[in-house]
């Protein structure tokens, strides 16, 4: 997960509670920024961009016109997100 928009600068992230925001298909992490204002003072937000380009926007896995998906792609996206979360929790000692 290379593209993440944070609600707090790096120097204010250590030891905070983390809320991860995931956008929908054909959107991006910028769509989640407006939700940061609803976070309690003890928490910070991370809006993560899906890795796939879907027509100039982003997605977590591809969908066909009938909204079907490939289970392997769904699992890869989930595992990638969980790996990022593990690294991020360790880096910032998040709760």
């Amino acid at each position: 997960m290379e593209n993440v928009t944070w609600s707090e600068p790096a120097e204010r992230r250590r030891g905070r509670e983390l809320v991860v925001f995931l956008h929908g298909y054909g959107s991006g992490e910028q769509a989640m920024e407006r939700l940061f204002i609803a976070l309690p003072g003890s928490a910070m937000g991370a809006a993560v961009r899906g890795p796939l380009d879907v027509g100039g926007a982003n997605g977590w896995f591809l969908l066909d016109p009938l909204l079907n998906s490939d289970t392997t792609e769904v699992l890869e996206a989930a595992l990638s997100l969980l790996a990022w979360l593990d690294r991020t929790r360790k880096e910032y000692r998040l709760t």
Side-chain angles (χ1 to χ4, degrees), residues 11-54:
E11 62 271 10
R12 295 187 57 203
R13 294 179 193 158
R14 189 168 299 276
R16 306 279 298 270
E17 296 170 359
L18 177 63
V19 177
V20 178
F21 293 85
L22 305 177
H23 62 79
Y25 192 78
S27 186
E29 72 281 12
Q30 307 90 344
M32 302 289 100
E33 288 180 55
R34 63 185 176 88
L35 301 175
F36 289 166
I37 196 166
L39 292 169
S42 61
M44 67 174 172
V48 184
R49 181 188 302 172
L52 296 177
D53 181 344
V54 290

Side-chain angles (χ1 to χ4, degrees):
M1 307 285 116
E2 297 299 321
N3 296 297
V4 179
T5 299
W6 293 90
S7 65
E8 299 289 342
E11 62 271 10
R12 295 187 57 203
R13 294 179 193 158
R14 189 168 299 276
R16 306 279 298 270
E17 296 170 359
L18 177 63
V19 177
V20 178
F21 293 85
L22 305 177
H23 62 79
Y25 192 78
S27 186
E29 72 281 12
Q30 307 90 344
M32 302 289 100
E33 288 180 55
R34 63 185 176 88
L35 301 175
F36 289 166
I37 196 166
L39 292 169
S42 61
M44 67 174 172
V48 184
R49 181 188 302 172
L52 296 177
D53 181 344
V54 290
N58 298 92
W60 295 95
F61 46 85
L62 293 178
L63 294 172
D64 70 16
L66 299 176
L67 301 180
N68 294 313
S69 59
D70 180 322
T71 303
T72 301
E73 287 183 357
V74 173
L75 291 173
E76 286 174 358
L79 291 174
S80 176
L81 181 65
L82 290 172
W84 169 83
L85 184 57
D86 283 343
R87 289 189 309 273
T88 301
R89 286 183 65 213
K90 289 175 187 171
E91 180 180 354
Y92 295 111
R93 297 185 184 138
L94 302 174
T95 57

